[in-house]
Amino acid sequence: MSPRADGRRFLACVALGLAVLALAPLSFDSGFQLGLMSQMCAMALFALSYNLLLGQTGMLSFGHAVYAGLGGYAVIHLLRGMDGGPFVFPSVLLPVAGGVAGAAFAALIGYPTTRRGGTSFAMISLAVGELIHAAAGMLPEWFGGEGGLAADRTAGPAFVAGLWPGWSLGPDLHVYYLTAAWTAACALAIHALGRTPLLKLANAVRDNPQRVAFIGYDPHRVRYLMLTLSAFFAGVAGGLMALNLEIASADSMGALRSGAVLLAVVVGGSGLFLGPVAGAVVVTFFSVELSRHTGAWQLYLGLAFAAVVLALPGGLAGGIRDAARRGARGELAHWLRARKWTIAGALSGMSGLSLAIELAYGRVHGTGGQGVVSWFGLVLDPSAPLPWSVAGVLSVLGAAGLFLGRVQSRLVPSPEQCDG
């Protein structure tokens, strides 16, 4: 594809994305839906910032939530300073303050921690994350203790005095549009960053740091710059989250939060620019929706993580790209027919596993009332043998389908094998 055609396709994608962000509130206008979309946008930006480390530079971090959490605390402290005080700052620019806080901390601790990549950096990032998380509990005047710090997002003017006085951050709709605008602007900035020599060097450091050093560049300095840039965008995302929820807590800097963004990037796929965005949307949606219907939602997320790693090494975005390529070559129907037993077995196995999990969780915790479990609208008794028998039959049928699919894939060659 020529550069001009590639540019037109990029502009078309940008226009489509902006239209979706602008028009989404017309269909999803309740407070819950607007809050959920704001969380998705902020999480998408958080995942894009993490992909600058993992996908572009090959730096696995277990403490990336620290930068987002510090960005959130910076925004909350500024809001509290404006509440009844002489300090005034435009609220729409508060996410920049969050980004500066995240980048400043990364600039402070990043130089010694990025001397080595790989496992060394991963372990150091885990230690830094746990250190800051523990410090938050020992400095309640800065971090608010276990309950965190809360603030009113309408404490300051949305813009400078006299400009658009009817616009404030009180309504959920205004917060959504602010979050969507900052997410779109930062996503475009990250995409533009991908065309700079620094990103090309980061990719080279990811693939072979010894060769980068051999041609005269310092891999340590490249890793340090990428960590600082990534922390800035993570701080912006943390500031948007704090504006949406009006609170910042130590949990936002913990390992669980760092694991969530890693999950989003891996599920979505780190090899494509929009992969982390897709993963963030899916992980946020299922986290919120599953937590409303089952107490075992974290177990489902873990299973989904394992399933994507095993079945879709390129993530959801990579799977969609491969399906689109097969569709363009007219091979998608053949590919699906060749895997009909695998798909049927996977669906049956997931149904049986889900039923077994809900029965076990309901039996232990008594969710849905004493002796009652709700599963896809059905009310079941976890102590009765019939639901357990159904779960067992579905699981066995799923295993049989996967086995038949595996045998069929050995007997019927794929189009790629025929071409070869």
Side-chain angles (χ1 to χ4, degrees):
M1 184 175 291
S2 66
R4 180 173 295 181
D6 192 22
R8 284 199 297 267
R9 188 176 67 170
F10 172 72
L11 291 177
C13 291
V14 171
L16 177 63
L18 293 177
V20 169
L21 289 175
L23 299 178
L26 297 180
S27 300
F28 308 101
D29 57 353
S30 70
F32 170 75
Q33 291 168 336
L34 291 170
L36 177 59
M37 289 192 296
S38 297
Q39 290 184 51
M40 287 179 177
C41 289
M43 189 64 183
L45 177 56
F46 190 25
L48 283 173
S49 75
Y50 187 74
N51 198 42
L52 286 175
L53 289 183
L54 180 65
Q56 302 293 341
T57 321
M59 299 165 68
L60 176 62
S61 173
F62 293 118
H64 199 59
V66 168
Y67 312 111
L70 290 176
Y73 271 106
V75 168
I76 292 297
H77 277 294
L78 288 174
L79 284 174
R80 290 166 70 92
M82 286 189 288
D83 195 4
F87 175 70
V88 176
F89 191 82
S91 298
V92 295
L93 298 180
L94 284 173
V96 177
V100 171
F105 184 72
L108 181 66
I109 60 110
Y111 198 78
T113 62
T114 55
R115 292 185 64 84
R116 297 284 184 274
T119 305
S120 301
F121 176 77
M123 293 298 102
I124 291 173
S125 68
L126 177 62
V128 170
E130 290 303 305
L131 176 68
I132 301 301
H133 185 253
M138 294 185 287
L139 298 171
E141 62 275 12
W142 281 90
F143 297 100
E146 294 183 357
L149 290 177
D152 182 5
R153 66 190 180 204
T154 63
F159 301 97
V160 296
L163 177 63
W164 213 344
W167 210 88
S168 73
L169 292 185
D172 293 327
L173 181 64
H174 293 182
V175 175
Y176 163 73
Y177 277 124
L178 176 69
T179 306
W182 272 110
T183 300
C186 291
L188 290 174
I190 292 173
H191 186 273
L193 185 64
R195 297 175 178 271
T196 62
L198 175 61
L199 249 292
K200 305 303 179 188
L201 274 175
N203 294 162
V205 169
R206 174 197 61 195
D207 298 336
N208 195 330
Q210 289 80 14
R211 181 165 294 180
V212 172
F214 181 76
I215 62 176
Y217 293 98
D218 186 358
H220 175 207
R221 188 169 299 176
V222 174
R223 283 192 289 263
Y224 176 61
L225 290 175
M226 290 302 297
L227 175 64
T228 306
L229 287 171
S230 173
F232 172 79
F233 291 113
V236 174
L240 293 172
M241 293 175 188
L243 277 177
N244 182 37
L245 301 175
E246 298 181 281
I247 190 172
S249 65
D251 291 339
S252 64
M253 301 187 294
L256 190 61
R257 192 72 174 173
S258 297
V261 72
L262 171 62
L263 176 67
V265 172
V266 173
V267 168
S270 60
L272 296 174
F273 179 75
L274 291 180
V277 177
V281 170
V282 170
V283 169
T284 305
F285 177 78
F286 280 102
S287 298
V288 174
E289 281 299 311
L290 284 175
S291 63
R292 297 174 66 194
H293 295 94
T294 174
W297 62 276
Q298 289 177 316
L299 176 58
Y300 287 111
L301 285 182
L303 291 173
F305 179 81
V308 168
V309 171
L310 292 173
L312 294 172
L316 295 176
I320 294 172
R321 179 196 56 191
D322 294 343
R325 288 176 176 174
R326 287 193 176 91
R329 296 196 300 263
E331 300 171 355
L332 184 59
H334 173 81
W335 188 87
L336 291 174
R337 279 197 302 272
R339 287 159 179 80
K340 60 184 178 183
W341 289 113
T342 302
I343 296 172
L347 293 175
S348 178
M350 287 191 293
S351 300
L353 182 61
S354 168
L355 178 55
I357 290 173
E358 291 304 313
L359 291 172
Y361 193 86
R363 186 157 186 167
V364 173
H365 298 281
T367 56
Q370 189 65 32
V372 172
V373 167
S374 177
W375 186 70
F376 290 106
L378 300 175
V379 179
L380 306 172
D381 182 0
S383 61
L386 181 59
W388 286 100
S389 301
V390 173
V393 170
L394 288 173
S395 300
V396 171
L397 289 176
L402 292 175
F403 177 75
L404 286 175
R406 188 176 181 83
V407 171
Q408 189 181 37
S409 65
R410 291 177 178 174
L411 298 178
V412 181
S414 65
E416 293 84 354
Q417 291 172 321
C418 293
D419 294 340

